[in-house]
Amino acid sequence: MCKIFFATFIFTNIARAGAMRDTTNVTEAKALGGDECSTHVVGSEKRSSHEQQTEICKCPEDSFILGNHKKCQTNSRYFNPADVSGLGCACKRCPDIVAMSTIREELKKSPRVSEMCKCPNGYSAKCSSFAPRRYFDPVKLMGKDCRCQEVPTTTLTTTATVGHNTCATAVPGSTKRTQQEKYTEKCKCPEDAFILGSARKCQTNSRYFIPTEVSGLGCACKLCSDIVAGSLMRKDSKFRVAETCKCPTDQTVKGEGKCSSLRNPRYFDPSVLMGTTGCKCLP
C-alpha cells in the first residue's frame, strides 16, 4: 500500500513540475517586449493583444514581414518571433519593393494574400523578367529594382476589347469579360476556376488574365478538384491567396509524395500540387 502511495506521489509531482515548466514558457512568450520583437524582425513591435495571440509580434500598419528565407515570406504583418529568429526578416512596405506602389486597402484584413501590393490606377509594376501588371506579390519582385510606370495609351487602346475566340485560343475554357473595357485583364476563366499551367505566367492563382501574355504557354482553366479530388475554391481566392484551394471542413489533403508534405494540410496552392496524381481530400 505504501509503495502505491509513494509511486502516486512521485508521478503527481513530476506531472506538476512539467505543467509549471509549460506555464513558464507560455508566460515568458506572453511577456515578450516590443524591443525583443524588433530584435527578431527589424521594425516590428509587440501586439497590444499579444496575450490572446499565437503570433505575438507585428509589423506596423501597411507593412509586412519579408526576407530571403521562406519563413519570412508569409505576406502577413503578424509573426511568432521563435519561428523567424536569426533568419534576417524585416518589416517592409510595398514602396520598398516597387517604387510608388501602395498596399491594397481592401486586403488589409485578408491574411496572407499573394498580390497584396498595387501601382496607382493607369500604372503597372515594371522590371526585368516580369510581365507588367498593376497588382503584384512583393515576394516575387523583392530585390529586382522595380517601379510603377505609366501604361502607354497605345497599349490600352490596342487591347481595349477582345472576342471570345481570342480568350479561348489563349486559354482553353476561358471567355471574355462582360465589362472588359474597365479592365486590363480582358479574359476570365469560369467562376470557381483559375488559370494554371507549367509556365510561371500561368500560375497567378487568378481567373483573370491578359491573353497576349499567356498565348502559346499551354495555360488552361482548372478547378481545385482537378488537382486534388474533393477539394474546392476558397471564398477569399478572388484576392489571389497563395493557397487558393481547400479541403472541406474536417478533411485534409492525403496521398503520396507532395500530397502529404503540405505546411497546412487542409489548404493548398494548386501550382505546387499540379502534375501530382492520387491527391485526395480525406477525413
Side-chain angles (χ1 to χ4, degrees):
M1 186 70 177
C2 291
K3 290 182 178 179
I4 295 174
F5 175 79
F6 181 74
T8 303
F9 175 79
I10 294 297
F11 176 79
T12 301
N13 280 276
I14 291 174
R16 186 174 298 167
M20 291 178 64
R21 284 195 298 270
D22 292 342
T23 303
T24 301
N25 290 339
V26 172
T27 302
E28 288 177 352
K30 297 303 185 183
L32 185 68
D35 289 342
E36 291 190 56
C37 286
S38 61
T39 299
H40 297 289
V41 175
V42 178
S44 67
E45 61 184 1
K46 182 176 66 176
R47 298 174 71 171
S48 57
S49 61
H50 66 278
E51 292 185 355
Q52 290 81 44
Q53 308 295 337
T54 302
E55 298 171 314
I56 58 180
C57 297
K58 68 178 180 179
C59 287
E61 190 173 2
D62 292 348
S63 66
F64 42 86
I65 183 174
L66 191 65
N68 292 323
H69 197 281
K70 191 70 175 178
K71 290 185 177 180
C72 305
Q73 300 173 4
T74 60
N75 284 341
S76 173
R77 61 183 292 216
Y78 305 111
F79 63 93
N80 185 335
D83 292 340
V84 296
S85 180
L87 299 182
C89 310
C91 292
K92 295 290 184 180
R93 297 164 58 248
C94 293
D96 296 331
I97 312 303
V98 175
M100 294 177 60
S101 67
T102 58
I103 199 165
R104 296 171 68 179
E105 291 292 327
E106 68 271 28
L107 304 184
K108 281 186 178 181
K109 295 188 177 181
S110 297
R112 295 172 174 81
V113 171
S114 177
E115 295 185 332
M116 61 189 300
C117 298
K118 68 177 181 179
C119 288
N121 193 22
Y123 287 70
S124 291
K126 178 70 174 178
C127 49
S128 60
S129 69
F130 180 77
R133 62 186 313 126
R134 186 184 179 197
Y135 303 104
F136 63 90
D137 182 347
V139 172
K140 295 179 180 178
L141 299 191
M142 176 178 56
K144 295 186 181 297
D145 192 28
C146 307
R147 65 180 298 106
C148 292
Q149 292 187 354
E150 189 172 7
V151 178
T153 305
T154 53
T155 301
L156 295 175
T157 302
T158 55
T159 60
T161 58
V162 298
H164 287 292
N165 290 339
T166 302
C167 296
T169 299
V171 177
S174 67
T175 185
K176 69 177 183 179
R177 300 176 75 168
T178 53
Q179 294 182 311
Q180 57 177 283
E181 66 276 0
K182 294 182 179 181
Y183 306 104
T184 303
E185 297 165 313
K186 309 293 183 182
C187 301
K188 65 179 181 179
C189 287
E191 192 171 2
D192 292 337
F194 45 86
I195 183 174
L196 189 65
S198 57
R200 190 67 180 173
K201 290 182 179 180
C202 303
Q203 300 173 10
T204 60
N205 288 338
S206 173
R207 62 184 293 216
Y208 306 109
F209 62 92
I210 300 173
T212 54
E213 288 187 0
V214 297
S215 181
L217 298 181
C219 310
C221 292
K222 295 289 185 180
L223 297 170
C224 293
S225 57
D226 294 331
I227 313 302
V228 174
S231 65
L232 62 158
M233 181 173 276
R234 298 172 66 177
K235 290 183 179 180
D236 54 359
S237 62
K238 65 180 180 179
F239 294 142
R240 304 189 189 202
V241 177
E243 296 171 328
T244 309
C245 303
K246 68 178 181 179
C247 286
T249 305
D250 298 328
Q251 293 188 20
T252 58
V253 179
K254 294 183 179 179
E256 298 181 355
K258 291 182 179 180
C259 305
S260 60
S261 60
L262 297 173
R263 179 181 62 84
N264 185 332
R266 185 184 176 202
Y267 303 99
F268 64 91
D269 182 340
S271 64
V272 172
L273 296 183
M274 176 181 59
T276 57
T277 56
C279 297
K280 297 179 180 180
C281 288
L282 295 172

